[in-house]
Structure formats: structure tokens, C-alpha cells
Amino acid sequence: MDTVTDNGGGQTGEDELDRTIGLAGALTIGTGTMIGAGIFVFPGLAAGEAGPAASVSFAIGAVIALLVALPTSELATAMPKSGGGYYFVSRGLGALPGAIVGIGLVFGLTFATAFYLVGFGEYVIEILIEIGVIESPGVAVGPIEVVSVVGVLLGVGLTVLSVFGTENTESLQNAVVGLLLAILIVFLTVSGLDLLGVRGESRVSGSFAPEGYTPILTTAALVFTSYLGFAQIATVAEDIVNPDRNLPLSMVGSVVLVGVFYVVTLLITGYTFPSEELLEMGETAIVDVAEEYLGLAGAIAILIGGLLATLSSANASILSASRALYGLSSDRLAPPVAAKVNREYGTPHFALAFVGGTTIVLVAFGRTEVLAEVASFLHLILYGLICVALLVIRRRDPGWYSPSFRCPGYPAVPIIGGLASFALILFMQRLSQILGIIISVIAIGWYLVYARDVNLKDDL
């Protein structure tokens, strides 16, 4: 890989990131990113479409995520480099596929971050409404709603925090995810006991699949965005201590942990209210479920949980997007300034500034709901190509390839994982597919104009 020489501005001779993230930090990056939409946005939408059987949709998503996490873990221990999936695909399939997924990963994570920041603002407003501070969610400051103002301020704060050291991001992530999981464990335990009749009469009644079994697969495609976080761990691999051990443990562990939370949550949600009522509740259904079992205190606790979930997702995504851009720049597929590392803090400050600045603009003026769906499309392309990259690299068997973790069930696991990832794209909304293809075409154009003469070294 091309190296970046000292051009001033606080750079080392060959820019390298500080390894400061331990196993707990890696787990919270994956868990904190994935726990958001799956718990606080999708239960009402998913259970409204499929009833309690939506829990199967989330289980299918977890299985597919594991089928990709295992190949990713092998590649990550062989190539613990910033950029994660970009680095694996570029070394396995070449610079052009690498540029497509690398640029897609940067913008996919940036789009997702904007979505999370707007979600944070919405949860702040909902809490203020719940406690009677304001009456309407549509409060504006000039042409921009307060929701966006809150999101912009948080985006600035998280970007600055990341610039001053990855350990700051890790500490915030550990604290936020720890409190979030504590809230969820209490909520799911109390509501689960009530649902089963341990603390009263059982609420488990009615059909498991009131809408039939067909919606299970379409719902699985809808909710797969909930499992995007595990690959973000590989994206920050160059920041992780003892990557041979911590990368596979954190990637597989985060998928399993989050998958269990999702399945339990959907079973409780699906059996608490009829499907038609859940559809009307929409994205806030989990708040109504909490209020049903725990009263106003439960509703406020879940609103705080949603606040923490969107905070942790945005925090991890800003970190991961900047590392993906850093990886592209280190390979000269993006302007070299993005590979500059601050000498004092060991962070890619220009890459962070680009990601943070772009995110803030999107929060202020963009349609973040659409951007979040496009992020899912781009990630599914990445996941499928990661599986292909493992098959190609194993077949080629280069001398430098020496992973400490081997994907079990090879070659069936990466083959099934790749096919399942590509297949889920077919169940996505047409607009998301079109926008995802447009971004991929733009990435191809960028490569042909800017980086077609780049030769990547096939070693570490």
C-alpha cells in the first residue's frame, strides 16, 4: 500500500493510527450501532406487517449477518486495516471493485449518521413533549426545525470528540451502550414476565402469523438495516488492540447479542397489540408497548433509551466512515489529505472533518429517511463482495495471507452469505435500488477519472 510522507500539519513519517480500542469498545461499536433501529424504530412497522412472526424476520437477518460476519472475521484478522470491507474487497477483487465499495461505504455510513442524528433530535423533542416543556414537535429556528438544530449540534460535538482521540469515542460508546442495555434488560424482563403470565394473566394469544408467512421475507429485507453495525468493527480494525482475538469475538458476539434482543422485543411487541394497531403506531410503537407494561415511567425510560441508541449509532458511524475514507486515501483512491493523521491525537482529522461536515449538511437540509435506505443497499453490496473476496483470496492463497481466525463451514458459509446478501437487495424499495446504483456509477466514474492508474500492493 502506498505510504503518506510527512507534509507537515502534525503528521508522522508514515501515518498510522493509535490502537486504543479494546474488546469492550469493539463490542459497543457493533452493538451500539445495531441496537438503534431494530429496537426503537422497526418493532411497530415489522410486527404491524407480520405480527409476532416478525421475530422470525429478525432471526433470518441475524443468520445472514452471521454468515457474513464469519468471513469478515477471517479477512479482518489477516488484514486488520482501516477501511475494513473496502480493504478486503480491493485486495481480493482489485482496485475498481474496492473503489466502488469504499466510496459506497463512506457515503453509506455518512447517510446513516445523518439519519441517526435526526433521530436523536426527534427523541429529544419527544421527551420535551412528554414532560410538558413544549407542545408541538414542529418548532423551528428560522428555516430549520429544532430537530435538525439538535442533530447538527450533536454532529459537531461527536466529530470534535473523535478528533481529540479515539479513546474519547470509545469511552462515550461504552458508557452509552452500557446504560442503554441496562434500560432494555429491565424493560424486556418486566414486559416478558407480564406477557407470559408470571405476574398476572398471560397475554400470549392469537395467531403467531396473522398475516400469513409471506410477509416474513419482505419484512426481513426491511429490517436488515438493523444488522449493519458488525462490519463497522472491521472498518476501525487499525484502532483495535489485539485484533487477532478481538475482531472475531466482537463481530460475532455483537450479532448474537443484538439478535437475541431483537427476537425477544418483536415477540413481546407482536403479542401485546394487534397488527393493525401496531401499523398505526408506526415508529413509536415500542414507546406504547413500554407504557402498556410500565406506565409513564416506562415510556420515558424507552424514550431515553432511544436517545442513547441514536447517540451511540451516530458516534460509531462517524468513527467508521472516517476510517473508511482514511483507507481509501492511504491507497491513493481518494485525495491524500484524508490520510493525514494528527501527531498528538493519532486520529485522521481531515477525514473526520469531511465526514462530520457532510453529515451536518445532510442533517440540516437532506431527506435522511431516503438516505438511510440507500445506506442499507450499499452495505448489502459490500457484504456480498466481502464473501466473494474471501473465496477469491483463499483460492489464490497469497503468501502474505495468514489469518488467525478461519471461517467455519468454508466454502458454504461465504457462498450462502454472499447470495443471501445480494438476494435481499431484490426485496428493497425501488427508489433505494436506483439511488444505490447511481452512487455505484459515480464511484466507477471517480475511479476512472482520478485513480485508474493506482496499483495496489498485494501484501501487508
Side-chain angles (χ1 to χ4, degrees), residues 42 46 49-50 53-62 64 214-227 376 380 424-425 427-428:
F42 283 135
E49 292 290 343
S55 59
V56 178
S57 301
F58 275 92
I60 290 172
I64 294 174
T214 301
I216 290 177
L217 282 178
T218 55
T219 303
L222 168 69
V223 304
F224 191 74
T225 53
S226 305
Y227 290 100
S376 180
L380 284 169
L424 272 184
I425 293 174
F427 292 93
M428 298 186 71

Side-chain angles (χ1 to χ4, degrees), residues 141-218:
V141 178
I144 304 176
E145 291 188 355
V146 169
V147 167
S148 296
V149 173
V150 172
V152 166
L153 292 175
L154 178 63
V156 172
L158 292 178
T159 302
V160 172
L161 187 70
S162 293
V163 168
F164 285 108
T166 306
E167 62 274 14
N168 297 324
T169 303
E170 180 188 10
S171 297
L172 175 63
Q173 194 74 359
N174 290 348
V176 169
V177 175
L179 181 56
L180 171 61
L181 292 180
I183 291 173
L184 289 176
I185 288 171
V186 171
F187 160 62
L188 294 177
T189 299
V190 173
S191 58
L193 291 175
D194 279 359
L195 185 72
L196 295 173
V198 175
R199 304 198 327 158
E201 187 174 344
S202 174
R203 296 171 179 246
V204 179
S205 61
S207 172
F208 177 71
E211 309 301 325
Y213 290 92
T214 301
I216 290 177
L217 282 178
T218 55

Side-chain angles (χ1 to χ4, degrees), residues 75-291:
L75 291 167
T77 60
M79 296 173 276
K81 296 290 186 177
S82 286
Y86 152 72
Y87 200 91
F88 312 151
V89 172
S90 65
R91 268 49 185 186
L93 305 179
L96 176 56
I100 294 171
V101 300
I103 293 171
L105 182 60
V106 171
F107 283 99
L109 288 170
T110 302
F111 295 165
T113 304
F115 178 70
Y116 299 141
L117 291 175
V118 170
F120 180 88
E122 290 174 345
Y123 271 103
V124 168
I125 297 300
E126 286 298 322
I127 290 174
L128 294 177
I129 292 174
E130 196 72 32
I131 62 178
V133 175
I134 61 176
E135 296 181 358
S136 170
V139 182
V141 178
I144 304 176
E145 291 188 355
V146 169
V147 167
S148 296
V149 173
V150 172
V152 166
L153 292 175
L154 178 63
V156 172
L158 292 178
T159 302
V160 172
L161 187 70
S162 293
V163 168
F164 285 108
T166 306
E167 62 274 14
N168 297 324
T169 303
E170 180 188 10
S171 297
L172 175 63
Q173 194 74 359
N174 290 348
V176 169
V177 175
L179 181 56
L180 171 61
L181 292 180
I183 291 173
L184 289 176
I185 288 171
V186 171
F187 160 62
L188 294 177
T189 299
V190 173
S191 58
L193 291 175
D194 279 359
L195 185 72
L196 295 173
V198 175
R199 304 198 327 158
E201 187 174 344
S202 174
R203 296 171 179 246
V204 179
S205 61
S207 172
F208 177 71
E211 309 301 325
Y213 290 92
T214 301
I216 290 177
L217 282 178
T218 55
T219 303
L222 168 69
V223 304
F224 191 74
T225 53
S226 305
Y227 290 100
L228 301 185
F230 74 87
Q232 294 194 25
I233 300 171
T235 305
V236 299
E238 206 164 333
D239 296 88
I240 293 177
V241 178
N242 192 8
D244 287 351
R245 169 182 177 270
N246 292 337
L247 281 169
L249 280 177
S250 57
M251 279 191 276
V252 174
S254 61
V255 171
V256 172
L257 176 63
V258 170
V260 170
F261 271 99
Y262 287 164
V263 170
V264 173
T265 300
L266 266 294
L267 284 172
I268 292 172
T269 302
Y271 278 120
T272 300
F273 295 110
S275 299
E276 56 273 14
E277 288 186 29
L278 290 169
L279 274 179
E280 292 180 5
M281 295 173 185
E283 290 88 342
T284 61
I286 193 66
V287 179
D288 294 288
V289 173
E291 190 166 12

